Amino acid sequence: MSLAELRREPVNLTELRREAEKASKDLEGATKALEQRRAQVRTSQKELTAKLRELQVAERAFAQVRQPLSDIVGQLYQQSMSSGLAGFLSGKSDAATLRAMADVSQVVAARDQVLAESSRLQAERERLAAEAQELRAGNLLAEAQMGAEIETLRVRSDKIVKSLTQALVKLGVKVDKGGQPAAGCAPTKALSANEFANGLIPKAYLCPLQQPGNELRGDAALAFISLNEAYRRQFGRPICVTDSYRSLAEQQSVYYRRPGFAAVPGRSNHGLGLAVDLCGGVQNFRSAQFNWLESNGKKFGWFHPKWAYISPFEPWHWEYDPKLGSLL
Ligand SMILES: [Zn+2]
């Protein structure tokens, strides 16, 4: 059978998986962009507020001296004008009068400076307040737009996961009792499953196979289901599975019951949800089933590891390689 024929499934899980991965990545990217923008806006708002507060303090300080200074200027002006005028009229403006007039012009200059600085500060404060207002308004608009975009992406992502779930159901995979998508089948869960220790992956991070009671990590499961469909077309029946994901407790139990037949608990790929033990002929080295899987499995990311050919010799043990799978 050609690869094209093998791939001819009623539904293309690989394609759905890829779409779901992309949708979720887009959603994640948009959400991150919004968060970054919010952080930036928070920072610039904080800076603006601090600057406004500084300006207010300075303005208040100037306002406090402005009035008394103006009053002094007024008084001095009147005094010196009258005395200066008197001196001028009498024809003898003495040194004291001239000094007094010089003092007055100094005070006047100081007052003018205070007034100028006051209005400069006020203008600056008004400009900043307008800027803050603009920032707030612009930001509200941008956030609304980004929020709408995120919502669209979320809807799309949900829709794809739903199609994927429907495809799985059609292929005979059991979903939750409530008809909810098996969360562990969502392709994005596969990477999160990495965070759990060998044999300690929670149920919500595993995806059921068509073979009842068997589960694998999401990406491995989807690939296995596709492989199973190709196998079914070739042999007229599904792949026989004896074992798939194995919890730590199960690994220990197998290890002590059948020493030498299972990896050291906590070290098996079964505990990562990336390995299956097969029956129905595959367990017999060089059987038609074994040979078929050997030459076709890789197209689905599944392979027979080198060690399993020799030590321990385990024709039934097959593994999923996420690197191979992600190339599909
Ligand atoms: Zn095994």
Side-chain angles (χ1 to χ4, degrees):
M1 217 188 314
S2 74
L3 178 61
E5 278 174 293
L6 276 175
R7 287 274 177 75
R8 206 177 52 223
E9 304 165 38
V11 279
N12 193 333
L13 286 184
T14 306
E15 207 161 281
L16 277 174
R17 186 199 70 188
R18 224 184 282 127
E19 272 179 50
E21 276 168 358
K22 188 181 176 310
S24 137
K25 208 178 267 173
D26 290 349
L27 178 59
E28 206 176 292
T31 309
K32 211 169 269 169
L34 179 61
E35 276 163 13
Q36 269 169 358
R37 197 195 152 78
R38 277 185 179 146
Q40 273 170 2
V41 166
R42 261 199 304 276
T43 310
S44 40
Q45 261 170 350
K46 225 180 256 170
E47 283 169 3
L48 269 176
T49 310
K51 223 175 213 169
L52 272 170
R53 206 166 293 143
E54 258 173 55
L55 281 171
Q56 269 173 344
V57 171
E59 244 191 298
R60 216 171 291 139
F62 274 107
Q64 270 171 358
V65 293
R66 198 171 50 208
Q67 198 49 51
L69 205 51
S70 291
D71 292 349
I72 292 171
V73 167
Q75 284 165 14
L76 280 175
Y77 216 63
Q78 269 177 351
Q79 273 173 23
S80 66
M81 279 305 276
S82 52
S83 64
L85 193 63
F88 178 75
L89 288 175
S90 69
K92 43 177 178 153
S93 356
D94 57 18
T97 310
L98 286 174
R99 215 172 18 249
M101 285 182 83
D103 287 347
V104 171
S105 54
Q106 252 174 6
V107 175
V108 168
R111 181 207 58 179
D112 288 349
Q113 223 176 332
V114 166
L115 285 177
E117 187 60 13
S118 271
S119 51
R120 193 188 66 75
L121 284 173
Q122 197 183 343
E124 175 73 356
R125 183 173 54 79
E126 277 163 10
R127 193 184 64 73
L128 279 177
E131 197 180 303
Q133 180 62 33
E134 221 168 278
L135 184 72
R136 251 194 304 273
N139 184 50
L140 281 176
L141 183 68
E143 273 200 17
Q145 279 165 345
M146 288 173 103
E149 190 195 328
I150 286 176
E151 188 50 31
T152 308
L153 289 174
R154 194 194 317 280
V155 168
R156 198 181 82 195
S157 178
D158 286 351
K159 216 165 115 189
I160 293 170
V161 171
K162 209 169 167 191
S163 314
L164 183 62
T165 307
Q166 282 167 348
L168 289 173
V169 170
K170 222 178 271 172
L171 290 172
V173 175
K174 292 264 186 312
V175 292
D176 283 359
K177 285 184 199 100
Q180 288 299 308
C185 299
T188 44
K189 274 277 167 84
L191 287 178
S192 333
N194 258 341
E195 292 161 19
F196 300 101
N198 190 304
L200 298 175
I201 303 178
K203 196 131 184 102
Y205 287 79
L206 294 166
C207 178
L209 302 181
Q210 293 143 305
Q211 290 76 359
N214 285 287
E215 291 167 316
L216 289 172
R217 205 175 89 170
D219 49 350
L222 293 182
F224 189 85
I225 291 164
S226 295
L227 174 65
N228 188 54
E229 289 310 299
Y231 183 99
R232 198 204 296 272
R233 285 197 292 281
Q234 177 71 21
F235 294 103
R237 58 193 144 87
I239 304 178
C240 170
V241 179
T242 47
D243 218 346
S244 45
Y245 170 73
R246 228 182 265 152
S247 70
L248 194 59
E250 287 161 348
Q251 288 177 49
Q252 279 163 347
S253 156
V254 175
Y255 184 72
Y256 294 116
R257 262 189 299 120
R258 303 181 69 198
F261 273 86
V264 176
R267 301 256 289 274
S268 160
N269 267 341
H270 285 284
L272 300 175
L274 299 175
V276 286
D277 290 342
L278 305 178
C279 36
V282 185
Q283 77 281 13
N284 300 318
F285 190 58
R286 290 290 160 236
S287 64
Q289 291 84 355
F290 181 96
N291 288 343
W292 184 90
L293 268 186
E294 190 183 48
S295 40
N296 295 290
K298 283 199 180 97
K299 295 164 197 161
F300 298 88
W302 283 90
F303 71 105
H304 189 56
K306 270 203 185 97
W307 61 261
Y309 282 94
I310 354 160
S311 169
F313 177 59
E314 289 187 6
W316 55 85
H317 180 95
W318 294 73
E319 291 185 358
Y320 176 72
D321 180 352
K323 266 183 250 138
L324 268 180
S326 63
L327 294 176
L328 296 178

